[in-house]
């Protein structure tokens, strides 16, 4: 998915790269191409503006144009800034010192929360050798519990569920107690989605948060929704704090710009 963007950027910088000498005009021309490439990849326009501005400032300053290979320096600046945009050093999950590390999954309906629970559980089990449990706290749809039971089992995680009779908040609290008693390393809490970021979703989430005190709240966003994912992230950020974002469905034909935009 990022391949298309990468190709377009290579193309945009092709002319600059091979030049022995560069003028401000050359930089401007190249930045116009870079801007187009990013916009076509569905990157938020504010992000694009900031990005090309930062690259230009650095390229025009600090003797880059007078250096021996200005083209390659400009390419390096673009690559540096892209890395920074993608998260720089990146953020890892926070792990609890004793007792289970709680990870709360939040997101809109169908964004990929339950699937992400399974993927994360498998990753933590296989790569970090952790004992992982998942908690079925999506009680909006009766089938949601069954789905997590299946996904959890496939990932080799224990599944804590109590059907749909109790409230999601009670199940969450109960599951945390179980995870402690069973000495699990990690508890991943699957929650219900809603069609929109609305009050009932947010109050349920904040109640679950209060009772389980998660070390990590992860917002799951559907990459296929493109720029709308950015709006959802903003709406969530306005209502409740989250520590990280999981972008689902990146294997689809999404243009990927959302990934670069959400970070900003
Ligand atoms: N191709 C692809 N499909 C995905 C991915 N993640 C989720 N899906 C599909 O998207 C649909 C919704 O995924 P779920 O994980 O059930 O989403 P959810 O957020 O738990 O949905 P609700 O519980 O209804 O709020 C399912 O059909 C998944 O198979 C992904 O990374 N790639
Ligand atoms: Mg689900």
């Amino acid at each position: 998915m990022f391949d298309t963007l990468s190709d377009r950027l290579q193309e945009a910088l092709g002319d600059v790269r091979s030049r022995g000498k560069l003028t401000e005009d050359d930089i401007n021309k190249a930045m116009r191409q870079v801007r187009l490439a990013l916009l076509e990849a569905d990157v938020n326009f504010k992000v694009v503006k900031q990005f090309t501005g930062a690259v230009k400032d650095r390229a025009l300053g600090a003797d880059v144009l007078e250096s021996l290979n200005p083209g390659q320096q400009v390419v390096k600046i673009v690559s540096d800034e892209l890395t920074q945009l993608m998260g720089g050093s990146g953020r890892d999950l926070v792990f609890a010192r004793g007792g289970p590390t709680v990870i709360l999954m939040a997101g809109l309906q169908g964004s990929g929360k339950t699937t992400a629970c399974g993927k994360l559980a498998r990753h933590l089990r296989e790569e970090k050798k952790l004992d992982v449990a998942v908690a079925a706290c999506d009680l909006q749809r009766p089938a949601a519990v069954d789905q997590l039971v299946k996904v959890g089992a496939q990932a080799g995680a224990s599944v804590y569920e109590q059907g749909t009779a109790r409230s999601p908040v009670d199940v969450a609290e109960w599951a945390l107690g179980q995870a402690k008693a069973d000495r699990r390393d990690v508890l991943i809490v699957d929650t219900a989605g809603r069609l929109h970021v609305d009050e009932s979703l947010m109050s349920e989430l904040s109640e679950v948060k209060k009772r389980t005190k998660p070390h990590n709240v992860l917002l799951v966003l559907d990459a296929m929704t493109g720029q709308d994912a950015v709006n959802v992230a903003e709406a969530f950020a306005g209502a409740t704090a989250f520590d990280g974002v999981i972008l689902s469905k990146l294997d689809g034909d999404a243009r990927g710009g959302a990934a670069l935009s959400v970070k900003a």
Side-chain angles (χ1 to χ4, degrees):
M1 172 220 65
F2 283 117
D3 292 353
T4 327
L5 175 57
S6 158
D7 287 350
R8 291 281 284 114
L9 284 176
Q10 297 277 358
E11 226 178 278
L13 294 170
D15 192 37
V16 163
R17 189 197 310 267
S18 54
R19 296 277 279 281
K21 231 175 157 19
L22 286 178
T23 64
E24 186 168 343
D25 218 34
D26 295 328
I27 301 280
N28 283 332
K29 238 197 270 170
M31 283 312 111
R32 263 201 298 279
Q33 294 296 322
V34 168
R35 186 178 311 140
L36 268 178
L38 291 172
L39 287 174
E40 274 175 24
D42 204 20
V43 179
N44 182 287
F45 76 95
K46 279 189 241 159
V47 175
V48 173
K49 207 167 151 203
Q50 260 172 27
F51 178 82
T52 49
V55 171
K56 222 159 97 176
D57 280 353
R58 280 182 61 188
L60 294 180
D63 318 325
V64 171
L65 297 187
E66 270 82 53
S67 68
L68 269 171
N69 43 7
Q72 274 165 29
Q73 294 225 27
V74 171
V75 173
K76 183 174 179 305
I77 292 171
V78 170
S79 141
D80 284 354
E81 293 287 330
L82 262 184
T83 310
Q84 180 132 26
L85 192 56
M86 281 304 280
S89 53
R91 267 241 245 139
D92 258 342
L93 288 170
V94 175
F95 286 96
R97 267 195 231 123
T101 295
V102 180
I103 303 172
L104 179 65
M105 306 295 251
L108 290 189
Q109 197 169 312
S111 59
K113 292 178 297 298
T114 306
T115 308
C117 283
K119 287 184 184 173
L120 185 57
R122 180 186 291 274
H123 168 77
L124 292 173
R125 241 175 37 79
E126 289 179 354
E127 305 297 322
K128 308 234 176 206
K129 310 291 173 219
L130 296 173
D131 184 358
V132 182
V134 294
C137 300
D138 173 1
L139 309 180
Q140 284 288 111
R141 298 181 294 120
V145 174
D146 299 336
Q147 186 193 356
L148 188 69
V149 166
K150 212 190 263 164
V151 165
Q154 274 167 4
S158 318
V159 182
Y160 296 138
E161 58 101 357
Q162 293 208 309
T164 53
R166 301 178 66 185
S167 82
V169 180
D170 289 341
V171 176
E173 194 166 30
W174 165 82
L176 179 59
Q178 291 292 306
K180 280 182 184 157
D182 297 341
R183 298 184 166 276
R184 307 286 177 207
D185 299 314
V186 178
L187 178 69
I188 304 174
V189 181
D190 188 26
T191 63
R194 298 284 194 285
L195 282 176
H196 307 284
V197 181
D198 61 16
E199 220 168 287
S200 74
L201 170 66
M202 287 307 161
S203 64
E204 186 173 306
L205 260 186
S206 70
E207 227 11 70
V208 171
K209 256 169 102 169
K210 229 188 271 165
R211 305 266 194 107
T212 57
K213 306 222 165 24
H215 304 86
N216 307 273
V217 179
L218 300 182
L219 176 62
V220 181
L221 296 170
D222 181 344
M224 302 279 277
T225 59
Q227 286 304 303
D228 205 37
V230 182
N231 300 333
V232 172
E234 270 172 6
F236 263 88
T240 184
F242 57 87
D243 306 298
V245 162
I246 293 181
L247 217 51
S248 70
K249 311 185 199 179
L250 276 173
D251 51 336
D253 61 359
R255 285 170 290 176
L260 294 172
S261 308
V262 167
K263 177 64 177 69

